[in-house]
Amino acid sequence: MTGSLGTSRRPVPHQTSQEDPLPMPPTPLDAATIRELEPFLLRLAARAVRDPVLAHDIVQATFLSLIEPTSSYDATRGMVRSYLAGVLMRKVADHYRRQRRERVTGDFDETADGLDERVAFDPSRAMHPIDRSRAMSVIDHALARLPDQQRLVVLACDVEQMDRAEAASSLGITEGNLRVLLHRARHELRKALEDAKMR
Amino acid sequence: MLKCDEVERMLSDYEDGALPFSKMVAIRFHLMMCRRCPALERSLRETIDVLRALRDEPINEGVDSEGNKGE
């Protein structure tokens, strides 16, 4: 009896051959790309899911998505970085959905229907300056409490400083939608920082 | 001149330079004249600065993606 393990194994990237029954399309996934993009993807995933092991798994699955036969990556349509960021965001969103199903909470805000929310701001209130590390801690905690899409938009645009077009494309939303989500998220975070100064 | 609530709605885009030039100038002008909005603008800028600095900060693993503190 011949073992099935050897025959079912997928070819390693770049090893496309004429005899291969499932020839792999050329892929941009090489060691240099992985070295270059892994830190960026790991930071994004780690801050999004707050679990280093899960973040590694998501990044690995993200890279693997490039060499899957179903990969929709098209080098003529954009940078591999944006494509991978998009795949990663979708995997993170899947994780959020699973988490939500388990916890039965309902804070996912996909509506983003406008910029009408007024954020109360009274400059006359007594403020106490807070040091940088406390400010970072306050913002980091507030970031974790944001609705999922707002959190991903802030991680992409502010923390990783992706440009808006790239972030919107990665998240699969319009730039207008991204603008609204970013506005809301930043104001929530700003409020958290100001509240911390009041304490 | 722009009203404060109009400025407030555009401040996030203003900080990113993502507005048409005429709006950028109008907001800059408003910020020079208004008594309330400059503090709001400083506060928003500080928030964005802190977010950018988070990029190189270690992640607080004691907080999950919903802001709950772990054990």
Side-chain angles (χ1 to χ4, degrees):
Chain A
M1 187 192 271
T2 55
S4 60
L5 284 175
T7 52
S8 65
R9 190 175 293 160
R10 285 237 172 94
V12 177
H14 304 299
Q15 287 189 340
T16 55
S17 70
Q18 296 297 324
E19 301 82 41
D20 195 332
L22 284 172
M24 302 292 288
T27 161
L29 187 57
D30 53 29
T33 306
I34 293 175
R35 264 199 309 277
E36 185 194 333
L37 295 179
E38 193 181 27
F40 158 70
L41 294 171
L42 262 179
R43 280 196 311 269
L44 203 52
R47 205 165 292 278
V49 300
R50 310 257 168 185
D51 175 341
V53 176
L54 179 61
H56 271 97
D57 287 350
I58 289 176
V59 169
Q60 212 165 67
T62 299
F63 278 125
L64 285 175
S65 74
L66 260 185
I67 56 171
E68 281 168 358
T70 51
S71 168
S72 57
Y73 176 67
D74 177 357
T76 61
R77 288 180 56 200
M79 292 188 300
V80 66
R81 180 181 124 115
S82 307
Y83 174 82
L84 288 175
V87 171
L88 185 134
M89 301 281 198
R90 284 191 291 280
K91 290 188 185 301
V92 168
D94 287 345
H95 164 71
Y96 288 156
R97 270 190 288 274
R98 275 196 303 274
Q99 212 175 35
R100 222 176 13 262
R101 271 202 300 273
E102 283 162 17
R103 293 185 186 181
V104 200
T105 60
D107 72 341
F108 195 72
D109 177 9
E110 289 185 87
T111 51
D113 54 359
L115 296 174
D116 294 332
E117 252 177 34
R118 295 287 182 275
V119 181
F121 184 75
D122 180 0
S124 64
R125 291 192 306 175
M127 296 279 184
H128 308 287
I130 59 175
D131 64 36
R132 186 74 162 180
S133 65
R134 169 125 190 270
M136 283 180 151
S137 168
V138 166
I139 292 283
D140 201 21
H141 280 75
L143 184 59
R145 287 193 303 270
L146 284 179
D148 299 338
Q149 273 213 321
Q150 288 185 22
R151 184 184 318 121
L152 290 178
V153 164
V154 168
L155 285 176
C157 293
D158 287 335
V159 180
E160 289 302 328
Q161 296 164 48
M162 293 167 77
D163 77 40
R164 286 182 173 199
E166 186 185 12
S169 137
S170 294
L171 285 159
I173 58 178
T174 64
E175 280 189 58
N177 199 355
L178 178 130
R179 176 177 159 262
V180 173
L181 290 165
L182 189 59
H183 166 87
R184 287 181 165 191
R186 283 174 169 177
H187 278 274
E188 281 305 315
L189 297 173
R190 186 191 64 71
K191 268 199 304 187
L193 192 56
E194 295 309 317
D195 287 347
K197 288 178 185 175
M198 297 296 296
R199 285 184 214 128
Chain B
M1 185 164 148
L2 291 172
K3 292 178 185 163
C4 292
D5 61 343
E6 293 174 300
V7 170
E8 189 177 320
R9 275 184 288 175
M10 290 190 284
L11 264 187
S12 175
D13 290 334
Y14 173 80
E15 292 300 324
D16 289 348
L19 290 170
F21 180 71
S22 58
K23 286 270 191 285
M24 295 291 289
V25 171
I27 292 175
R28 175 76 61 89
F29 184 68
H30 179 97
L31 291 173
M32 286 192 291
M33 308 298 288
C34 180
R35 290 174 60 192
R36 173 183 171 274
C37 290
L40 179 63
E41 194 266 338
R42 275 196 302 277
S43 165
L44 183 61
R45 185 154 24 93
E46 182 187 4
T47 302
I48 295 169
D49 283 347
V50 171
L51 282 166
R52 287 179 179 161
L54 272 184
R55 181 182 180 275
D56 299 315
E57 276 295 297
I59 286 143
N60 184 353
E61 289 162 19
V63 179
D64 68 16
S65 60
E66 293 181 358
N68 303 309
K69 275 189 179 178
E71 297 281 314

